[in-house]
């Protein structure tokens, strides 16, 4: 009987120049971090980029990584994120720990510890007999010394950030080879395109990346904060301004609940915590509820036209009021059938006049809307290749999975560019849409012909960190 390959053991061939590569692919983002072996369909390790840290002096602080740890309602448990909202790294020390956890928790085994301290040899006599010198082993054996690493980055990443990435990989982890790939290019590869207009709608950013023959056209790279977090904030405003206000109570505060009629006040027994859990923890847990709401209720007006426009003296918002609603139940039992209001949360991504705002959430600028971003991106590239890009539009990112999003985008692009043929490609598989850049990296790093592209440890030692600027265009 053939032995089953464990998901935590890389392929046996560690020659990164061969066809079967044990290379790792790491795709860090604001909401989640994805890691896995090259050549596989989806990343085996997907963890939140948010992490918990216990309060106290630095020497006594504990870092909490992964879903099972950060969602525990601990008393002194602040939630942070090493990534900034523009998709670049803000806290390199913690980001390194987080990424290492993403890789070692599911993909590779941690290096062996000193056998005198591993719990298997407890009596002093045995310890004395162990003729093992483990001094300096930690310095000699690095986390990923057997695995080449392909890492993704945003299209607007700075040179300093790029150099820091290869420093971490080579010096902290000891990888034998490294490559840094632009997420837009990799998403295009995942869609089978060497030239494409990649529209990536993630958690913190929506980005437009024109790719031509496998290279990004930097003048055409555009980004906007109107993405998943923006939709969440729109929902918070929608709930708080409703009459009566809609309660947003996270799961961890609910002890038990009684079914109630639609729109009736909740009848639940609530848990009390002393001291109260930090605001950052509550916001993280509220975001989980909002994510459920976005996945099951929120809908994008599919077109033609916009939600605020219409024909014969009526608006499309009036039209959708006659459509069947979508029910949703909050963790405390409050429930309602959502009608036209479910279209408002995402409409601001396309039509900023429809965005909800208040004193702490100013309305977005017209230039941040998705149609304006695409227009600005294409204006930044050569006029001769615009038809090629419009006929190869790739849509990726988790927020693009909102119901009706791709239909609306196609409607907007077709009305903006009536001349050229607009062809939009969006993977129907949820995983392929969420992990587009990772899948592109997995395809690229598993190609035998890619081995000449890797930056080897020797080249890094000869040329320094700035080699990444010369080699990874």
């Amino acid at each position: 009987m053939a032995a089953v390959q464990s998901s935590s053991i890389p392929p046996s061939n560690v020659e990164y120049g061969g066809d079967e590569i044990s290379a790792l692919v790491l795709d860090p983002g604001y909401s989640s971090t994805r890691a896995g072996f090259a050549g596989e369909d989806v990343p085996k390790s997907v963890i939140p980029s948010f992490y918990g840290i216990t309060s106290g002096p630095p020497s006594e602080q504990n870092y909490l990584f992964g879903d099972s740890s950060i969602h525990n309602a601990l008393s002194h448990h602040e939630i942070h994120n090493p990534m900034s909202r523009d998709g670049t790294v803000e806290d390199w020390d913690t980001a390194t720990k987080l990424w290492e956890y993403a890789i070692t928790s599911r993909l590779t085994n941690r290096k062996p510890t000193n056998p005198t301290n591993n719990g298997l040899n407890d009596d002093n006599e045995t310890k004395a007999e162990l003729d093992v010198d483990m001094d300096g082993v930690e310095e000699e054996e690095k986390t990923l010394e057997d695995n080449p690493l392909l890492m993704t980055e945003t299209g607007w990443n700075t040179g300093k950030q790029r150099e820091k990435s290869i420093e971490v990989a080579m010096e902290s982890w000891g990888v034998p080879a490294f490559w840094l790939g632009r997420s837009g290019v990799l998403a295009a590869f995942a869609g089978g395109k060497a030239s494409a207009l990649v529209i990536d709608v993630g958690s913190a950013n929506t980005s437009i990346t024109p790719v031509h023959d496998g290279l990004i056209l930097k003048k055409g790279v555009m980004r906007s904060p109107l993405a998943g977090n923006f939709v969440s904030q729109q929902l918070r405003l929608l709930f708080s301004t409703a009459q009566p206000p809609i309660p947003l109570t996270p799961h961890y505060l609910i002890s038990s609940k009684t079914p109630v009629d639609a729109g009736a006040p909740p009848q639940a027994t609530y848990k009390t915590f002393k001291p109260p859990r930090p605001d950052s923890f509550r916001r993280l847990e509220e975001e989980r509820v909002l994510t459920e709401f976005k996945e099951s209720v929120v809908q994008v007006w599919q077109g033609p036209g916009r939600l605020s426009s219409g024909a014969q003296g009526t608006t499309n918002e009036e039209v959708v009021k006659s459509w069947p609603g979508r029910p949703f139940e909050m963790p405390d039992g409050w429930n309602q059938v959502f009608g036209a209001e479910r279209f408002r949360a995402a409409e601001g991504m396309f039509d900023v006049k429809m965005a909800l705002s208040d004193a702490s959430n100013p309305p977005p600028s017209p230039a941040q809307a998705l149609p304006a971003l695409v227009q600005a991106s294409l204006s930044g590239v050569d006029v001769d290749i615009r038809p090629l890009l419009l006929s190869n539009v790739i849509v990726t990112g988790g927020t693009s999975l909102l119901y009706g999003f791709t239909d609306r985008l196609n409607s907007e692009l077709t009305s903006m560019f009536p001349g050229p043929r607009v062809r939009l490609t969006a993977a129907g598989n949820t995983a392929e849409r969420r992990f587009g850049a990772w899948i592109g990296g997995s395809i690229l790093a598993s190609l035998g012909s890619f081995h000449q592209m890797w930056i080897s440890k020797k080249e890094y030692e000869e040329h320094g960190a700035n080699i990444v600027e010369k080699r990874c265009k």
Side-chain angles (χ1 to χ4, degrees), residues 317-334:
E317 192 168 12
E318 292 295 323
V319 172
V320 297
K321 285 181 180 178
S322 62
W323 292 9
R326 291 190 172 188
F328 187 81
E329 182 178 310
M330 291 290 184
D332 59 4
W334 184 94

Side-chain angles (χ1 to χ4, degrees), residues 150-336:
L150 185 149
M151 192 169 164
T152 71
E153 61 169 347
T154 62
W156 53 90
N157 206 17
T158 64
K160 189 176 179 182
Q161 293 256 332
R162 305 185 87 207
E163 290 179 10
K164 185 65 178 176
S165 298
I166 193 170
E167 282 176 17
V168 167
M170 291 290 185
E171 295 177 16
S172 299
W173 296 339
V175 299
F178 180 78
W179 180 262
L180 198 58
R182 306 278 191 181
S183 57
V185 174
L186 298 177
F189 289 165
K193 312 283 187 185
S195 298
L197 186 70
V198 179
I199 300 177
D200 186 348
V201 193
S203 169
N205 285 283
T206 291
S207 65
I208 316 293
T209 308
V211 179
H212 189 247
D213 289 339
L215 296 173
I216 67 165
L217 306 175
K218 290 190 179 181
K219 288 185 178 179
V221 176
M222 298 290 159
R223 62 187 170 92
S224 161
L226 305 191
N229 291 346
F230 168 77
V231 178
S232 294
Q233 194 57 44
Q234 291 288 289
L235 288 173
R236 289 178 185 273
L237 291 171
L238 194 67
F239 292 169
S240 62
T241 55
Q243 291 301 326
I246 298 172
L248 181 56
T249 308
H251 291 276
Y252 80 96
L253 287 173
I254 309 301
S255 178
S256 63
K257 62 183 178 182
T258 303
V260 296
D261 293 334
Q267 295 182 16
T269 305
Y270 300 94
K271 294 178 183 177
T272 55
F273 293 94
K274 294 183 180 179
R277 297 307 177 248
D279 291 342
S280 60
F281 177 74
R282 170 155 185 159
R283 191 167 181 88
L284 177 73
E285 297 305 299
E286 288 176 350
E287 194 62 39
R288 295 181 84 187
V289 179
L290 294 173
T291 298
E292 293 172 14
F293 190 90
K294 286 189 285 187
E295 290 173 350
S296 57
V297 177
V298 172
Q299 193 168 343
V300 181
W301 167 252
Q302 298 177 8
R306 297 184 172 178
L307 194 62
S308 58
S309 64
Q312 299 176 347
T314 184
T315 65
N316 291 322
E317 192 168 12
E318 292 295 323
V319 172
V320 297
K321 285 181 180 178
S322 62
W323 292 9
R326 291 190 172 188
F328 187 81
E329 182 178 310
M330 291 290 184
D332 59 4
W334 184 94
N335 66 95
Q336 183 61 276

